[in-house]
Amino acid sequence: MDNSLQDFAQGLKQHLEGLAAAKNEEYSVKTFVENIAGYLEEAEELDTVDVCDFQRPGIQLNGYAINEVGNSIAIDLIVCLHTKIVPPLSIHKNEWDSVIKRAIGFIKKSFTGLHLANDQVYDIAKKIYDSKELISQIRVFFFTDGITKTIQLEDVEVEGIPVSFQVWDIERIYRMRSSGRKKEPILIDLEGKYGNPLPCLPMPVANDHYDSYMLIVPGILLSQIYHDFGERLIERNVRSFLQVRGVNREIKKTITKEPYMFLAYNNGISATAEQIEFFPSTDGVKVIKSIRDLQIVNGGQTTASIYHAAQKDKDVDISQVFVQMKLTVIKDPEKMEEMVPTISFCANSQNKIQTADFYSNSPFHRKLEHLSRTEWAPAKEGSHRQSKWFYERARGQYLDMKNKHITPAKKRLFEEDHPKGKLFTKTDLAKYIISWEQLPHIVSRGNQKNFDYFSKTIKDIDVEQIDKNYYYKTIAKAIIFNTISEMIKTKNRANIVTYSMAWLSYKMQEQIDLEDIWKNQAVPSILMDTIKLVINAAHNHITNSPNGEIYSEWSKREECWTTFRDMSIEEFLRL
């Protein structure tokens, strides 16, 4: 085994153990799934994932993401085989096959009313049950910290819905993390694989930032590329195929009835690439031989519609279908992370943008990251050792920065300066702030919805307001949130934490000195007894809904918050 892979696996395991310890939790499959899903979120392979740990005879689920665009829903499900063993083990078919079958079992059971029998996966099971006619696709992600060299999974259909599979083992995760890139690049070999090089028209005036080309792409070629690479071609805000509704109904109608008119009727596709290779020019015409890291940032519906029309309707002839493409080649690889989301945003300004990576590059997040790297937190009482909180603006930054230090001594010093217990992510930050803003019912709706809400609240903040004082108060909120979390052991801890913090903010904000909490790096002892009362009251309130509604749904309702918000400390004492 490659020593670098073994070192990566060992470092990842230690990092995840540290993250679990920071939250006063055991290192478990949930820790593994949450962080690997986070890597894929940053790589724009997944939307923000809600993590769970659900397994029953014949069914399993370890995480899920729901992506709604227009009237269509795409669902991602995660299942995991977690060994905790380093060096990584080879995973054999009898081990992974049963996990995949349990994922399929979960989908089937959800269609027959799984949500009625189990509240642990109520949200996603009910969504599948209620939205059968709207679900365009389901992707199953198989995560493992082992090595899989033999898995070849063919797409299947469940209740008429296409189900595809992606395998992310420790080798693939390592390649993604060590490549220095955010996603695995796609190489489109137009000559060798498809036998269809593309003539193009370059932009008339060159510049130092990008090149742009106009192409006419045959529908057959576009369908073949989509078949081979599927959703990896499409940025998050447009990646779901929206079924045959609205604009897609018109696209299919043109393909079926007037394919020769497609080029005239359709607006075309916008795409980006890192690099393109040309044939040697003999007559001044540029002909593209291959495209590296092709991403369709506008036109995902067109691409998927052509593919699905050809696949589902065997009588449809797409040989007369052609699509115009604007292909932008970004010259500086270091600018890809910044420019591609911006191009996507501008090309799809009419669509809902959910790209957490786009938000993570905002001035707010960059300024907060800068403060976390420069501001030393005061030493706790009884200690003279100062340290820093570490804001992980992009997933995996902590481990990457630690591993830049070559010697064990320097790595230990990095950990002493940046203790794992003071590491927090974008979704953690959103929970701290939205809880303090007294919106626990929003936080209870899950990481993705809460982060989306949070992102909207900060987009107009003047970055000059993000100063040291703002940072100190933010960390104080983190200390309050984490302190409450450490005091709760029940399964609905997440809901109790946000409700308890929101109540403290609403009732006692004038009495809570955030600057004092920052200076002492701890919640004052005088407040601890009150917190215990609030936790107990929040638990009773959330688990005893007025209509017998399960706590995960009840806690998402504003009524749940307003009734708890108006309770007094005297009422808590009587519980």
Side-chain angles (χ1 to χ4, degrees):
M1 179 183 297
D2 186 348
N3 287 337
S4 58
L5 173 61
Q6 183 171 328
D7 290 344
F8 172 79
Q10 182 64 46
L12 178 65
K13 182 172 182 286
Q14 292 175 348
H15 178 58
L16 299 183
E17 287 173 343
L19 289 176
K23 297 180 179 179
N24 199 30
E25 298 173 347
E26 292 184 6
Y27 172 44
S28 66
V29 65
K30 290 181 72 173
T31 311
F32 179 75
V33 170
E34 181 178 10
N35 283 272
I36 301 308
Y39 292 148
L40 267 63
E41 289 165 26
E42 297 291 343
E44 299 183 354
E45 300 278 356
L46 269 172
D47 280 322
T48 304
V49 168
D50 286 296
V51 177
C52 56
D53 186 8
F54 179 75
Q55 186 169 335
R56 298 290 184 274
I59 53 179
Q60 178 178 340
L61 187 68
N62 298 105
Y64 62 89
I66 302 170
N67 184 29
E68 300 186 47
V69 180
N71 293 321
S72 179
I73 299 171
I75 290 176
D76 295 330
L77 304 178
I78 296 170
V79 287
C80 182
L81 179 58
H82 189 214
T83 70
K84 297 186 181 179
I85 295 174
V86 178
L89 299 175
S90 291
I91 306 299
H92 301 290
K93 181 176 180 179
N94 64 327
E95 296 172 299
W96 60 255
D97 189 52
S98 58
V99 179
I100 297 298
K101 286 178 178 176
R102 287 196 292 270
I104 298 297
F106 180 86
I107 298 170
K108 291 179 177 177
K109 288 284 188 181
S110 294
F111 282 128
T112 59
L114 176 62
H115 65 286
L116 299 172
N118 197 288
D119 65 350
Q120 287 188 49
V121 289
Y122 178 91
D123 290 347
I124 182 61
K126 189 172 190 300
K127 193 71 173 180
I128 293 173
Y129 182 83
D130 290 341
S131 308
K132 179 179 176 181
E133 300 303 318
L134 300 177
I135 298 174
S136 60
Q137 65 166 347
I138 298 175
R139 300 189 301 172
V140 174
F141 287 73
F142 174 60
F143 290 177
T144 180
D145 55 351
I147 298 173
T148 62
K149 293 186 179 294
T150 59
I151 297 184
Q152 293 183 350
L153 297 170
E154 298 293 331
D155 294 359
V156 299
E157 283 195 359
V158 178
E159 297 289 330
I161 296 170
V163 179
S164 62
F165 302 90
Q166 289 198 26
V167 177
W168 287 86
D169 68 350
I170 194 68
E171 283 190 317
R172 188 175 181 188
I173 296 164
Y174 168 63
R175 287 197 302 270
M176 179 179 67
R177 297 302 301 164
S178 61
S179 67
R181 300 187 50 83
K182 300 206 85 180
K183 56 180 179 294
E184 292 187 312
I186 293 170
L187 180 63
I188 310 295
D189 185 356
L190 296 172
E191 178 197 24
K193 184 171 183 178
Y194 300 104
N196 201 337
L198 293 173
C200 64
L201 179 66
M203 60 192 291
V205 180
N207 67 58
D208 295 333
H209 305 288
Y210 68 91
D211 289 321
S212 196
Y213 304 87
M214 297 301 298
L215 302 77
I216 302 296
V217 184
I220 291 175
L221 174 61
L222 200 58
S223 178
Q224 289 172 333
I225 293 172
Y226 187 84
H227 176 272
D228 291 340
F229 297 102
E231 302 302 323
R232 291 184 59 206
L233 288 169
I234 303 171
E235 290 293 315
R236 290 175 55 185
N237 58 316
V238 291
R239 75 179 182 192
S240 293
F241 176 56
L242 306 184
Q243 297 188 342
V244 188
R245 293 184 174 83
V247 63
N248 292 326
R249 186 182 292 113
E250 295 303 314
I251 290 174
K252 183 179 179 184
K253 181 180 176 182
T254 303
I255 294 171
T256 306
K257 304 294 185 183
E258 300 177 287
Y260 56 89
M261 294 300 297
F262 195 90
L263 184 63
Y265 291 165
N266 188 264
N267 288 331
I269 291 171
S270 293
T272 63
E274 179 189 276
Q275 186 179 25
I276 55 179
E277 182 182 0
F278 296 98
F279 281 102
S281 177
T282 56
D283 55 4
V285 177
K286 284 187 172 290
V287 180
I288 299 176
K289 183 178 182 181
S290 65
I291 305 173
R292 180 178 175 81
D293 198 15
L294 179 68
Q295 286 291 303
I296 296 173
V297 298
N298 186 25
Q301 296 178 42
T302 296
T303 305
S305 293
I306 294 171
Y307 169 76
H308 284 281
Q311 291 293 310
K312 293 188 176 182
D313 300 304
K314 300 304 180 182
D315 296 333
V316 170
D317 179 10
I318 61 171
S319 62
Q320 297 183 70
V321 173
F322 292 88
V323 184
Q324 65 175 333
M325 174 188 286
K326 181 182 74 174
L327 179 61
T328 300
V329 181
I330 299 168
K331 292 182 177 179
D332 183 355
E334 298 299 320
K335 294 289 186 181
M336 292 288 289
E337 178 183 342
E338 175 185 344
M339 289 182 67
V340 173
T342 304
I343 293 170
S344 176
F345 181 89
C346 295
N348 297 282
S349 58
Q350 74 276 19
N351 292 333
K352 179 182 178 183
I353 303 298
Q354 294 184 346
T355 311
D357 186 56
F358 180 83
Y359 287 130
S360 74
N361 284 315
S362 75
F364 174 92
H365 291 288
R366 290 189 177 277
K367 184 65 176 291
L368 204 70
E369 176 191 49
H370 171 74
L371 289 165
S372 81
R373 303 296 188 268
T374 56
E375 292 299 311
W376 290 90
K380 279 190 173 183
E381 186 176 354
S383 171
H384 298 289
R385 184 71 166 87
Q386 286 186 280
S387 59
K388 296 175 183 175
W389 287 74
F390 190 100
Y391 179 43
E392 198 171 56
R393 178 181 61 83
R395 182 76 62 162
Q397 281 181 315
Y398 183 93
L399 188 59
D400 290 344
M401 289 185 68
K402 175 186 170 183
N403 287 339
K404 286 180 180 177
H405 300 286
I406 299 174
T407 66
K410 288 186 176 180
K411 288 182 179 180
R412 283 196 301 272
L413 181 61
F414 176 84
E415 287 189 345
E416 290 174 5
D417 287 345
H418 309 88
K420 291 173 182 175
K422 292 183 176 179
L423 168 65
F424 64 107
T425 66
K426 294 192 299 292
T427 53
D428 292 331
L429 175 68
K431 286 185 284 190
Y432 305 153
I433 293 180
I434 301 304
S435 295
W436 190 255
E437 293 296 320
Q438 302 155 25
L439 296 167
H441 54 294
I442 301 294
V443 180
S444 295
R445 292 172 188 172
N447 283 343
Q448 177 177 326
K449 290 181 180 177
N450 183 56
F451 183 78
D452 287 345
Y453 181 89
F454 170 66
S455 297
K456 292 172 185 175
T457 67
I458 64 170
K459 66 180 181 180
D460 295 324
I461 292 180
D462 182 354
V463 72
E464 295 301 320
Q465 298 177 30
I466 314 303
D467 57 12
K468 292 181 181 181
N469 190 50
Y470 180 95
Y471 176 69
Y472 298 161
K473 289 182 177 180
T474 298
I475 298 302
K477 294 167 189 175
I479 293 169
I480 296 171
F481 189 97
N482 293 341
T483 299
I484 296 171
S485 182
E486 290 170 6
M487 296 168 68
I488 303 170
K489 304 300 180 185
T490 59
K491 69 176 183 179
N492 55 338
R493 175 168 68 175
N495 307 101
I496 297 172
V497 173
T498 184
Y499 269 76
S500 299
M501 184 165 177
W503 188 92
L504 290 168
S505 172
Y506 180 72
K507 293 284 190 179
M508 304 183 66
Q509 191 169 139
E510 296 296 323
Q511 300 160 252
I512 297 175
D513 189 338
L514 294 176
E515 291 185 10
D516 184 65
I517 292 174
W518 160 260
K519 289 175 183 176
N520 292 288
Q521 292 293 291
V523 173
S525 56
I526 195 171
L527 190 59
M528 296 301 286
D529 288 340
T530 301
I531 290 177
K532 290 176 184 177
L533 282 174
V534 178
I535 288 172
N536 183 56
H539 177 267
N540 282 322
H541 178 72
I542 291 169
T543 55
N544 293 283
S545 63
N547 301 312
E549 192 174 12
I550 64 171
Y551 75 83
S552 61
E553 289 300 295
W554 168 233
S555 61
K556 297 173 185 176
R557 292 173 53 190
E558 187 173 4
E559 179 191 354
C560 181
W561 162 237
T562 55
T563 51
F564 182 68
R565 178 193 67 191
D566 295 335
M567 295 176 71
S568 67
I569 197 73
E570 289 74 24
E571 291 176 88
F572 292 171
L573 287 167
R574 291 196 292 270
L575 293 174

